[in-house]
Amino acid sequence: AFVLTAASALEHSLYATDEYKITDKLSVKYGLRLAIFQNIGPGTYYSYDSKYKPVDSTVYAKGDIFNTYSALEPRLAFIYRVNGFSSVKWSYSRASQFITLAQNSTAGTPLDIWFPATPNVKPQTADQFALGYFRNFAQNMYELSAEIYYKNYHDLIDFRDHAQLFLNPYLEGELRIGKGYSYGIETLIRKNQGRFGGWISYTYSRSFRIVPEINGGKVYNSPYDKPHNVNVVASYDVTKRISTSITWIYATGLPVTFPTGRAVIGNAIIPIYSERNAYRMPDYHRLDASITLRGKEKTGRKWQSELNLSVYNVYNRHNAWAINFISDETDPNIKYAEKTYLFAVIPSLTYNIK
């Protein structure tokens, strides 16, 4: 595993795509992509036994290609135009990911590690099916879309329970391989014309994993499982030179594994954790606002300017970045949860010239 030193790789792709009109209302888009990923030295590669213990290592010199993966990724989409302002789309696609993020949700602070595909770590693949409906209103002033999807994942990686991450040269031995699936619906309504514009989007989505050696082999929430996600964006042109905008974001808190009990062994207190990702961080939401004043437009002027005042997190939401469990200073047998947040209200003033 290339953990404490840099890892090098080559990635190549070749693709072709085409669109064919079957009838006046029905068309099909299809394509195929070939992806190739190669591990290249310098580096040290470790091999592991069936119990994930390192048993051998091989050192590769700079420029040595020692492992190659290839993947075929088909794409297919049918578009049916119901009339001049609405359509239905069905699609299928396969995608491969050769650099994968592994997350340790039990760490005191978020710890994410990127793993390249190696002989021990296969590339992650996903098959996605989607069905969507799209419609325009009032001479294209408004547009509405709704799309449902289902996705299957193969060769997902996750850390084993109680993984040793810090200064561990054998991190690949801490990984476990499984599968997953996700599904959801994405909706959007947008106003495209006029002094007042913006959009509202809502997504309901679920994401799960099944790894035989994690969580007793039972289904558990993916680290990316956020059932509800809302975005509201609005802009208003007060005059030709003054415009305002606001953005509100809301998302369900991410899954996390928390300690739910303890065991006392000798003089040591050992935490007992919940099932994998059984709890959630607090929900995330914030409001951003801005106002922009543009310079006067004059004939022959070669430059333009604008002044922008914006406020990040207008109502001072303390969104949790991490939650740590701290021992009470007077009684170490008492634990309490402590939230760490990064940003409160942040105003900024920007002057642009072009």
Side-chain angles (χ1 to χ4, degrees):
F2 306 93
V3 178
L4 303 182
T5 59
S8 299
L10 300 173
E11 187 170 354
H12 325 271
S13 64
L14 178 69
Y15 66 92
T17 184
D18 188 29
E19 182 174 1
Y20 178 70
K21 191 174 183 180
I22 301 173
T23 68
D24 290 340
K25 291 190 173 184
L26 180 64
S27 62
V28 59
K29 292 182 179 180
Y30 54 94
L32 184 66
R33 182 176 186 268
L34 171 64
I36 299 174
F37 183 87
Q38 297 176 305
N39 298 105
I40 184 172
T44 302
Y45 163 69
Y46 298 97
S47 56
Y48 298 83
D49 61 18
S50 60
K51 296 183 179 179
Y52 303 97
K53 301 297 182 182
V55 294
D56 197 5
S57 65
T58 306
V59 178
Y60 293 95
K62 183 177 180 180
D64 286 349
I65 295 176
F66 61 91
N67 180 61
T68 299
Y69 284 111
S70 61
L72 285 175
E73 303 174 343
R75 287 98 161 89
L76 180 65
F78 288 94
I79 302 97
Y80 182 75
R81 294 169 179 82
V82 180
N83 46 45
F85 49 83
S86 63
S87 63
V88 176
K89 178 181 178 180
W90 177 91
S91 64
Y92 162 77
S93 64
R94 164 165 282 200
S96 302
Q97 185 171 323
F98 298 99
I99 301 178
T100 307
L101 181 68
Q103 294 181 304
N104 181 27
S105 60
T106 63
T109 58
L111 179 61
D112 302 340
I113 299 177
W114 290 93
F115 282 90
T118 69
N120 291 319
V121 181
K122 294 181 180 180
Q124 175 181 301
T125 59
D127 294 295
Q128 176 169 298
F129 302 86
L131 178 64
Y133 176 71
F134 308 88
R135 182 183 176 95
N136 292 339
F137 300 89
Q139 289 78 47
N140 297 325
M141 177 176 287
Y142 301 94
E143 63 179 74
L144 171 70
S145 65
E147 190 168 21
I148 58 174
Y149 69 89
Y150 181 85
K151 185 181 288 189
N152 260 327
Y153 302 92
H154 312 280
D155 295 312
L156 284 175
I157 66 171
D158 209 341
F159 288 118
R160 70 174 179 88
D161 293 334
H162 312 297
Q164 301 299 314
L165 304 181
F166 294 101
L167 300 178
N168 183 357
Y170 311 113
L171 270 179
E172 285 186 345
E174 305 294 319
L175 297 176
R176 300 296 182 264
I177 312 299
K179 59 184 179 180
Y181 62 95
S182 62
Y183 58 85
I185 180 170
E186 300 175 343
T187 61
L188 170 73
I189 184 167
R190 182 196 303 267
K191 184 176 185 291
N192 296 313
Q193 303 171 18
R195 296 173 64 182
F196 176 79
W199 71 85
I200 299 174
S201 67
Y202 169 73
T203 299
Y204 175 79
S205 62
R206 301 304 311 269
S207 181
F208 302 97
R209 290 182 174 179
I210 306 169
V211 181
E213 295 153 293
I214 295 177
N215 207 48
K218 295 184 292 183
V219 177
Y220 63 94
N221 292 326
S222 158
Y224 309 105
D225 180 61
K226 296 190 296 184
H228 303 287
N229 195 308
V230 179
N231 289 272
V232 179
V233 177
S235 62
Y236 181 69
D237 294 330
V238 181
T239 67
K240 290 183 177 181
R241 296 178 55 204
I242 300 175
S243 61
T244 61
S245 67
I246 61 169
T247 301
W248 185 70
I249 300 171
Y250 170 86
T252 305
L254 289 170
V256 66
T257 307
F258 282 152
T260 58
R262 65 185 180 187
V264 180
I265 302 177
N267 294 325
I269 298 176
I270 309 299
I272 299 173
Y273 287 91
S274 69
E275 292 186 339
R276 180 66 63 95
N277 293 341
Y279 287 84
R280 289 190 181 275
M281 298 287 279
D283 291 351
Y284 180 99
H285 56 86
R286 75 170 199 268
L287 176 70
D288 303 335
S290 71
I291 182 169
T292 300
L293 171 64
R294 286 176 289 276
K296 292 182 179 179
E297 294 183 4
K298 294 184 179 179
T299 303
R301 177 177 286 182
K302 296 182 179 181
W303 55 273
Q304 295 175 326
S305 65
E306 65 178 27
L307 182 67
N308 174 267
L309 172 64
S310 64
V311 181
Y312 173 93
N313 195 12
V314 171
Y315 53 78
N316 195 27
R317 167 72 175 178
H318 293 173
N319 289 299
W321 179 67
I323 293 181
N324 298 304
F325 288 83
I326 310 298
S327 297
D328 187 86
E329 293 182 358
T330 59
D331 186 352
N333 292 316
I334 297 176
K335 297 277 187 179
Y336 64 90
E338 181 180 79
K339 178 176 72 173
T340 301
Y341 67 93
L342 296 181
F343 302 112
V345 178
I346 301 179
S348 64
L349 187 65
T350 306
Y351 183 66
N352 297 314
I353 300 176
K354 61 180 179 179

